[in-house]
Amino acid sequence: MAAKQIMSAQEISRAITRIAHEIVERNRGVEGLVLAGIHTRGVPLARRLADQIAAFEGNQVPVGDLDIGLYRDDLASRSRPVVRSSRMPVDINGRNVVLVDDVIFTGRTVRAALDALTDMGRPRLVQLVALLDRGHRELPIRPDYVGKNVPTALSEKVKVRLQVVDGCDEVILISGEEEE
């Protein structure tokens, strides 16, 4: 039950800055771009990316919140899902939407997010940001932008802590059966 920090606050900040630049480069600017954070920690990450983009591009990119609670494929095995509202500040039809999440693992969260997004409209294209990619995909989903790749064992847990949610910025790897 040992915990090891695998990203510090400074490393998270650098990753967000790099990813923000990569998003602008790949999309040839910010025209028609929308960021959609997946609840819970994808939302503040999307906002931080938008702030970084605004700092060097001079234009604010719209940021939406995406709740996937009712789109998960494991609803039957979970106790009551926590349902939050999804909010997109602009129509996503024909836009480039960048989904943002903290960790990509099996790919099931992203699949659910794509279903939720499709119910809101038809984007021109969808890209994916993951602050941390820990491998072990069960679905053929790969992020377009990654803060850090960290191979993990299935028995390990990854915990992303963000200032706005948890009071600090860090990513830790928990070995063993320690509870989150």
PDB file of all heavy atoms in Angstrom, residues 140-159:
ATOM      1  N   PRO A 140     -10.656   0.123 -28.530  1.00  0.00           N
ATOM      2  CA  PRO A 140      -9.669   0.717 -29.432  1.00  0.00           C
ATOM      3  C   PRO A 140      -9.730   2.245 -29.426  1.00  0.00           C
ATOM      4  O   PRO A 140     -10.131   2.884 -30.403  1.00  0.00           O
ATOM      5  CB  PRO A 140     -10.049   0.136 -30.794  1.00  0.00           C
ATOM      6  CG  PRO A 140     -11.520  -0.097 -30.692  1.00  0.00           C
ATOM      7  CD  PRO A 140     -11.766  -0.503 -29.255  1.00  0.00           C
ATOM      8  N   ILE A 141      -9.346   2.822 -28.305  1.00  0.00           N
ATOM      9  CA  ILE A 141      -9.387   4.272 -28.123  1.00  0.00           C
ATOM     10  C   ILE A 141      -7.994   4.731 -27.714  1.00  0.00           C
ATOM     11  O   ILE A 141      -7.374   4.135 -26.828  1.00  0.00           O
ATOM     12  CB  ILE A 141     -10.424   4.652 -27.040  1.00  0.00           C
ATOM     13  CG1 ILE A 141     -11.831   4.320 -27.545  1.00  0.00           C
ATOM     14  CG2 ILE A 141     -10.301   6.125 -26.653  1.00  0.00           C
ATOM     15  CD1 ILE A 141     -12.922   4.467 -26.520  1.00  0.00           C
ATOM     16  N   ARG A 142      -7.518   5.796 -28.374  1.00  0.00           N
ATOM     17  CA  ARG A 142      -6.189   6.317 -28.077  1.00  0.00           C
ATOM     18  C   ARG A 142      -6.260   7.840 -28.002  1.00  0.00           C
ATOM     19  O   ARG A 142      -6.842   8.471 -28.887  1.00  0.00           O
ATOM     20  CB  ARG A 142      -5.227   5.889 -29.173  1.00  0.00           C
ATOM     21  CG  ARG A 142      -3.794   6.267 -28.869  1.00  0.00           C
ATOM     22  CD  ARG A 142      -2.870   5.805 -29.956  1.00  0.00           C
ATOM     23  NE  ARG A 142      -3.098   6.648 -31.120  1.00  0.00           N
ATOM     24  CZ  ARG A 142      -2.616   6.394 -32.316  1.00  0.00           C
ATOM     25  NH1 ARG A 142      -1.927   5.316 -32.531  1.00  0.00           N
ATOM     26  NH2 ARG A 142      -2.840   7.215 -33.311  1.00  0.00           N
ATOM     27  N   PRO A 143      -5.656   8.425 -26.968  1.00  0.00           N
ATOM     28  CA  PRO A 143      -5.684   9.888 -26.874  1.00  0.00           C
ATOM     29  C   PRO A 143      -4.812  10.553 -27.938  1.00  0.00           C
ATOM     30  O   PRO A 143      -3.788  10.009 -28.352  1.00  0.00           O
ATOM     31  CB  PRO A 143      -5.143  10.175 -25.472  1.00  0.00           C
ATOM     32  CG  PRO A 143      -4.434   8.946 -25.047  1.00  0.00           C
ATOM     33  CD  PRO A 143      -4.999   7.808 -25.828  1.00  0.00           C
ATOM     34  N   ASP A 144      -5.239  11.724 -28.370  1.00  0.00           N
ATOM     35  CA  ASP A 144      -4.473  12.530 -29.314  1.00  0.00           C
ATOM     36  C   ASP A 144      -3.386  13.320 -28.611  1.00  0.00           C
ATOM     37  O   ASP A 144      -2.360  13.648 -29.215  1.00  0.00           O
ATOM     38  CB  ASP A 144      -5.408  13.510 -30.046  1.00  0.00           C
ATOM     39  CG  ASP A 144      -6.465  12.779 -30.830  1.00  0.00           C
ATOM     40  OD1 ASP A 144      -6.145  12.319 -31.940  1.00  0.00           O
ATOM     41  OD2 ASP A 144      -7.601  12.641 -30.324  1.00  0.00           O
ATOM     42  N   TYR A 145      -3.633  13.664 -27.353  1.00  0.00           N
ATOM     43  CA  TYR A 145      -2.704  14.464 -26.562  1.00  0.00           C
ATOM     44  C   TYR A 145      -2.568  13.804 -25.192  1.00  0.00           C
ATOM     45  O   TYR A 145      -3.576  13.508 -24.543  1.00  0.00           O
ATOM     46  CB  TYR A 145      -3.223  15.893 -26.367  1.00  0.00           C
ATOM     47  CG  TYR A 145      -3.736  16.528 -27.639  1.00  0.00           C
ATOM     48  CD1 TYR A 145      -5.096  16.523 -27.937  1.00  0.00           C
ATOM     49  CD2 TYR A 145      -2.869  17.131 -28.537  1.00  0.00           C
ATOM     50  CE1 TYR A 145      -5.580  17.104 -29.099  1.00  0.00           C
ATOM     51  CE2 TYR A 145      -3.346  17.723 -29.712  1.00  0.00           C
ATOM     52  CZ  TYR A 145      -4.695  17.699 -29.980  1.00  0.00           C
ATOM     53  OH  TYR A 145      -5.176  18.272 -31.125  1.00  0.00           O
ATOM     54  N   VAL A 146      -1.327  13.596 -24.750  1.00  0.00           N
ATOM     55  CA  VAL A 146      -1.077  12.932 -23.465  1.00  0.00           C
ATOM     56  C   VAL A 146      -0.067  13.747 -22.670  1.00  0.00           C
ATOM     57  O   VAL A 146       0.977  14.142 -23.200  1.00  0.00           O
ATOM     58  CB  VAL A 146      -0.529  11.498 -23.680  1.00  0.00           C
ATOM     59  CG1 VAL A 146      -0.197  10.838 -22.351  1.00  0.00           C
ATOM     60  CG2 VAL A 146      -1.520  10.646 -24.452  1.00  0.00           C
ATOM     61  N   GLY A 147      -0.381  13.962 -21.403  1.00  0.00           N
ATOM     62  CA  GLY A 147       0.563  14.638 -20.519  1.00  0.00           C
ATOM     63  C   GLY A 147       1.734  13.743 -20.179  1.00  0.00           C
ATOM     64  O   GLY A 147       2.890  14.143 -20.252  1.00  0.00           O
ATOM     65  N   LYS A 148       1.434  12.499 -19.815  1.00  0.00           N
ATOM     66  CA  LYS A 148       2.482  11.552 -19.446  1.00  0.00           C
ATOM     67  C   LYS A 148       1.963  10.129 -19.620  1.00  0.00           C
ATOM     68  O   LYS A 148       0.827   9.836 -19.258  1.00  0.00           O
ATOM     69  CB  LYS A 148       2.907  11.777 -17.991  1.00  0.00           C
ATOM     70  CG  LYS A 148       4.090  10.946 -17.553  1.00  0.00           C
ATOM     71  CD  LYS A 148       4.584  11.377 -16.187  1.00  0.00           C
ATOM     72  CE  LYS A 148       5.871  10.652 -15.848  1.00  0.00           C
ATOM     73  NZ  LYS A 148       6.503  11.218 -14.657  1.00  0.00           N
ATOM     74  N   ASN A 149       2.805   9.257 -20.187  1.00  0.00           N
ATOM     75  CA  ASN A 149       2.499   7.829 -20.282  1.00  0.00           C
ATOM     76  C   ASN A 149       3.165   7.137 -19.097  1.00  0.00           C
ATOM     77  O   ASN A 149       4.377   7.301 -18.898  1.00  0.00           O
ATOM     78  CB  ASN A 149       3.058   7.238 -21.583  1.00  0.00           C
ATOM     79  CG  ASN A 149       2.283   7.702 -22.787  1.00  0.00           C
ATOM     80  OD1 ASN A 149       1.146   7.305 -22.982  1.00  0.00           O
ATOM     81  ND2 ASN A 149       2.900   8.553 -23.593  1.00  0.00           N
ATOM     82  N   VAL A 150       2.368   6.376 -18.338  1.00  0.00           N
ATOM     83  CA  VAL A 150       2.899   5.651 -17.193  1.00  0.00           C
ATOM     84  C   VAL A 150       2.365   4.225 -17.225  1.00  0.00           C
ATOM     85  O   VAL A 150       1.193   3.995 -16.895  1.00  0.00           O
ATOM     86  CB  VAL A 150       2.498   6.323 -15.854  1.00  0.00           C
ATOM     87  CG1 VAL A 150       3.052   5.537 -14.672  1.00  0.00           C
ATOM     88  CG2 VAL A 150       2.986   7.759 -15.808  1.00  0.00           C
ATOM     89  N   PRO A 151       3.203   3.268 -17.646  1.00  0.00           N
ATOM     90  CA  PRO A 151       2.753   1.877 -17.609  1.00  0.00           C
ATOM     91  C   PRO A 151       2.482   1.474 -16.163  1.00  0.00           C
ATOM     92  O   PRO A 151       3.279   1.768 -15.270  1.00  0.00           O
ATOM     93  CB  PRO A 151       3.943   1.096 -18.183  1.00  0.00           C
ATOM     94  CG  PRO A 151       4.792   2.112 -18.873  1.00  0.00           C
ATOM     95  CD  PRO A 151       4.555   3.410 -18.168  1.00  0.00           C
ATOM     96  N   THR A 152       1.350   0.830 -15.940  1.00  0.00           N
ATOM     97  CA  THR A 152       0.973   0.433 -14.589  1.00  0.00           C
ATOM     98  C   THR A 152       0.569  -1.034 -14.576  1.00  0.00           C
ATOM     99  O   THR A 152       0.257  -1.610 -15.612  1.00  0.00           O
ATOM    100  CB  THR A 152      -0.232   1.256 -14.086  1.00  0.00           C
ATOM    101  OG1 THR A 152      -1.350   1.003 -14.940  1.00  0.00           O
ATOM    102  CG2 THR A 152       0.073   2.740 -14.054  1.00  0.00           C
ATOM    103  N   ALA A 153       0.548  -1.596 -13.378  1.00  0.00           N
ATOM    104  CA  ALA A 153      -0.008  -2.927 -13.186  1.00  0.00           C
ATOM    105  C   ALA A 153      -1.511  -2.771 -12.972  1.00  0.00           C
ATOM    106  O   ALA A 153      -1.978  -1.719 -12.504  1.00  0.00           O
ATOM    107  CB  ALA A 153       0.633  -3.596 -11.973  1.00  0.00           C
ATOM    108  N   LEU A 154      -2.264  -3.792 -13.314  1.00  0.00           N
ATOM    109  CA  LEU A 154      -3.717  -3.728 -13.103  1.00  0.00           C
ATOM    110  C   LEU A 154      -4.069  -3.540 -11.637  1.00  0.00           C
ATOM    111  O   LEU A 154      -5.093  -2.952 -11.310  1.00  0.00           O
ATOM    112  CB  LEU A 154      -4.384  -4.996 -13.643  1.00  0.00           C
ATOM    113  CG  LEU A 154      -4.496  -5.076 -15.161  1.00  0.00           C
ATOM    114  CD1 LEU A 154      -4.982  -6.450 -15.590  1.00  0.00           C
ATOM    115  CD2 LEU A 154      -5.423  -3.998 -15.693  1.00  0.00           C
ATOM    116  N   SER A 155      -3.223  -4.010 -10.734  1.00  0.00           N
ATOM    117  CA  SER A 155      -3.502  -3.896  -9.301  1.00  0.00           C
ATOM    118  C   SER A 155      -3.222  -2.498  -8.757  1.00  0.00           C
ATOM    119  O   SER A 155      -3.638  -2.163  -7.649  1.00  0.00           O
ATOM    120  CB  SER A 155      -2.661  -4.908  -8.524  1.00  0.00           C
ATOM    121  OG  SER A 155      -1.275  -4.640  -8.719  1.00  0.00           O
ATOM    122  N   GLU A 156      -2.543  -1.666  -9.539  1.00  0.00           N
ATOM    123  CA  GLU A 156      -2.226  -0.320  -9.080  1.00  0.00           C
ATOM    124  C   GLU A 156      -3.362   0.643  -9.391  1.00  0.00           C
ATOM    125  O   GLU A 156      -4.137   0.438 -10.318  1.00  0.00           O
ATOM    126  CB  GLU A 156      -0.939   0.174  -9.751  1.00  0.00           C
ATOM    127  CG  GLU A 156       0.278  -0.616  -9.328  1.00  0.00           C
ATOM    128  CD  GLU A 156       1.527  -0.213 -10.087  1.00  0.00           C
ATOM    129  OE1 GLU A 156       1.461  -0.088 -11.327  1.00  0.00           O
ATOM    130  OE2 GLU A 156       2.559  -0.042  -9.423  1.00  0.00           O
ATOM    131  N   LYS A 157      -3.428   1.703  -8.617  1.00  0.00           N
ATOM    132  CA  LYS A 157      -4.413   2.767  -8.814  1.00  0.00           C
ATOM    133  C   LYS A 157      -3.673   4.063  -9.101  1.00  0.00           C
ATOM    134  O   LYS A 157      -2.586   4.293  -8.598  1.00  0.00           O
ATOM    135  CB  LYS A 157      -5.272   2.967  -7.560  1.00  0.00           C
ATOM    136  CG  LYS A 157      -5.984   1.734  -7.083  1.00  0.00           C
ATOM    137  CD  LYS A 157      -7.407   1.755  -7.529  1.00  0.00           C
ATOM    138  CE  LYS A 157      -8.170   0.611  -6.887  1.00  0.00           C
ATOM    139  NZ  LYS A 157      -8.691  -0.316  -7.845  1.00  0.00           N
ATOM    140  N   VAL A 158      -4.292   4.910  -9.904  1.00  0.00           N
ATOM    141  CA  VAL A 158      -3.755   6.234 -10.182  1.00  0.00           C
ATOM    142  C   VAL A 158      -4.739   7.246  -9.617  1.00  0.00           C
ATOM    143  O   VAL A 158      -5.938   7.167  -9.865  1.00  0.00           O
ATOM    144  CB  VAL A 158      -3.561   6.455 -11.696  1.00  0.00           C
ATOM    145  CG1 VAL A 158      -3.203   7.901 -11.986  1.00  0.00           C
ATOM    146  CG2 VAL A 158      -2.497   5.515 -12.235  1.00  0.00           C
ATOM    147  N   LYS A 159      -4.218   8.203  -8.873  1.00  0.00           N
ATOM    148  CA  LYS A 159      -5.052   9.235  -8.275  1.00  0.00           C
ATOM    149  C   LYS A 159      -4.550  10.598  -8.735  1.00  0.00           C
ATOM    150  O   LYS A 159      -3.411  10.971  -8.465  1.00  0.00           O
ATOM    151  CB  LYS A 159      -4.989   9.128  -6.744  1.00  0.00           C
ATOM    152  CG  LYS A 159      -5.796  10.148  -6.002  1.00  0.00           C
ATOM    153  CD  LYS A 159      -7.247   9.809  -6.008  1.00  0.00           C
ATOM    154  CE  LYS A 159      -7.994  10.787  -5.113  1.00  0.00           C
ATOM    155  NZ  LYS A 159      -9.398  10.749  -5.318  1.00  0.00           N
TER     156      LYS A 159
END
